[in-house]
Amino acid sequence: MKALVLSEHGDLDKLELVKDKPVPQPGDGEVLVRVGASSFNYHDIFTVRGMPGIRVPLPVVIGLDIAGTVVEDAGEWKAGDRVMVNPLRAGIGLMGEMVDGGMEEYVVVSADQLFRIPDNVSFHQAAALPVAYGTAHRMLITHNTVRPGDRVLILGASGGVGTASIIIAKMLGAEVIACGGSDEKCARLKELGADYTINYNTTDFVKYVYAQYGKPQRRTFDGGVDVLINYTGGDTWAKSLKAVKRGGTILVCGATAGYDPKEDLRYIWTFELNVKGSNSFYRDNLEDLLNLVSEKRIDPVIDRVLPLEEAIDGLALIRDRKVIGKIIVDPTL
């Protein structure tokens, strides 16, 4: 079968599309799934490059998010069942990192990782959900951090988690300000439902907030935004503290631009800010997301769908931040 294999860490040239990888055989408690779609996340970039303190058992097939069809009867699962896979395999770790993931034609998973896909939800939609939408769902809904009427500012809004956050925040009744790196991206974010957009390469988001809502006040609750979503870190962190209203919340679920940013504790105590971390996702998040898609309350944002032969090109688009939403890879194309 075809598979996208990482044999050593480095740049994307370390990935190889092999065409003769043996079809894996399921063991006790496992299920063989024919992959109908898999999607990339920025985490795949980290996996390819290598992460300090995490030893990836190479070679490995990358790809965390998976949807497909059960090949053979296995316990409660029957051949032909349409399933989505929880990327976290208990006792082992993430698919596409600690065990072969979805960028291949067939994958073996544990039976307890599977979710039944509703008939009106496509493989492409299901494969877009777990990491990006699961993370956003937990951050905004499970932690009850966004309420109707809240002003929500999203940094790096054009990626998977960012577009998921726009869609979920709008579903919750918030006013959304989305940051993108170009006028073209901003126009697309507006189409997705953002009320306002900021091109962060031409406009300072803190100055924008002050002009739009006023400068946050220490003695009143005037000015600033209610919630700011920052999963970039780096040099955006200290600036984020200046844009949030007194008693407001900064949500953190990653640090793609740097995990050790400059800090200014004065803003945290002076404006009584809440910094809320959110990590990963759980079964209830993924089950609810499938229902939300089935009920047509949300629709995952898909930038493009590529065959396995073009998967590396798709991952390069994520590395270079040239996407809006998710890159889906369909091994059946």
Side-chain angles (χ1 to χ4, degrees):
M1 67 172 183
K2 295 181 291 185
L4 189 61
V5 179
L6 176 68
S7 296
E8 62 177 303
H9 293 302
D11 206 345
L12 300 190
D13 59 357
K14 301 302 182 184
L15 288 167
E16 179 186 5
L17 180 65
V18 302
K19 299 182 179 180
D20 57 355
K21 189 176 187 293
V23 174
Q25 299 302 307
D28 292 340
E30 294 182 329
V31 180
L32 180 65
V33 174
R34 178 176 173 82
V35 178
S38 183
S39 76
F40 281 125
N41 297 277
Y42 205 86
H43 189 93
D44 294 297
I45 298 293
F46 292 139
T47 299
V48 172
R49 291 174 178 170
M51 295 169 282
I54 298 179
R55 184 175 180 180
V56 176
L58 300 174
V60 70
V61 176
I62 66 171
L64 288 79
D65 296 330
I66 308 165
T69 307
V70 173
V71 176
E72 301 170 343
D73 292 357
E76 67 176 289
W77 300 101
K78 306 303 179 185
D81 283 348
R82 302 171 68 251
V83 294
M84 182 181 78
V85 179
N86 183 342
L88 183 60
R89 181 159 181 175
I92 296 178
L94 287 172
M95 304 292 294
E97 180 183 279
M98 293 301 166
V99 64
D100 283 349
M103 295 294 159
E104 56 185 344
E105 294 181 279
Y106 295 89
V107 64
V108 165
V109 301
S110 176
D112 60 12
Q113 291 178 262
L114 297 180
F115 297 82
R116 200 173 303 278
I117 299 176
D119 291 341
N120 64 338
V121 176
S122 71
F123 287 145
H124 295 174
Q125 290 174 308
L129 294 177
V131 172
Y133 284 77
T135 296
H137 185 284
R138 181 169 178 79
M139 182 168 58
L140 303 184
I141 295 178
T142 301
H143 293 309
N144 192 29
T145 52
V146 172
R147 296 168 179 81
D150 278 353
R151 301 164 178 165
V152 179
L153 174 63
I154 304 171
L155 302 186
S158 60
V161 176
T163 51
S165 295
I166 292 173
I167 288 172
I168 293 175
K170 289 303 298 179
M171 182 186 75
L172 295 172
E175 178 179 292
V176 172
I177 310 99
C179 296
S182 69
D183 290 342
E184 292 76 16
K185 283 186 176 181
C186 286
R188 179 69 176 121
L189 296 176
K190 202 82 177 288
E191 292 174 0
L192 297 179
D195 297 283
Y196 305 101
T197 59
I198 304 170
N199 180 344
Y200 59 75
N201 283 316
T202 59
T203 303
D204 183 282
F205 70 85
V206 177
K207 292 180 179 179
Y208 178 94
V209 169
Y210 291 179
Q212 185 83 351
Y213 304 112
K215 188 174 182 179
Q217 300 298 305
R218 291 181 296 171
R219 305 299 182 189
T220 70
F221 296 95
D222 298 320
V225 297
D226 298 280
V227 179
L228 190 148
I229 297 173
N230 185 332
Y231 53 84
T232 56
D235 60 8
T236 68
W237 180 254
K239 292 176 62 176
S240 295
L241 303 176
K242 302 176 181 181
V244 181
K245 68 182 295 184
R246 177 186 169 198
T249 301
I250 299 176
L251 301 178
V252 186
C253 65
T256 57
Y259 65 87
D260 189 22
K262 180 180 178 181
E263 181 66 278
D264 192 334
L265 294 174
R266 295 173 298 176
Y267 284 90
I268 294 177
W269 86 65
T270 301
F271 293 92
E272 300 179 332
L273 300 181
N274 302 292
V275 178
K276 179 70 175 180
S278 186
N279 184 39
S280 192
F281 44 83
Y282 293 84
R283 287 195 67 90
D284 59 327
N285 303 119
L286 302 184
E287 288 170 347
D288 192 36
L289 284 165
L290 283 171
N291 289 332
L292 289 172
V293 176
S294 179
E295 295 164 3
K296 301 189 184 304
R297 296 181 63 191
I298 67 170
D299 187 13
V301 180
I302 294 173
D303 185 285
R304 67 195 70 192
V305 178
L306 300 173
L308 198 51
E309 288 79 3
E310 297 177 23
I312 297 175
D313 295 334
L315 190 53
L317 292 173
I318 293 178
R319 177 197 62 193
D320 299 337
R321 304 184 188 279
K322 294 182 178 180
V323 301
I324 300 289
K326 299 288 291 181
I327 296 286
I328 302 294
V329 174
D330 186 337
T332 69
L333 294 178

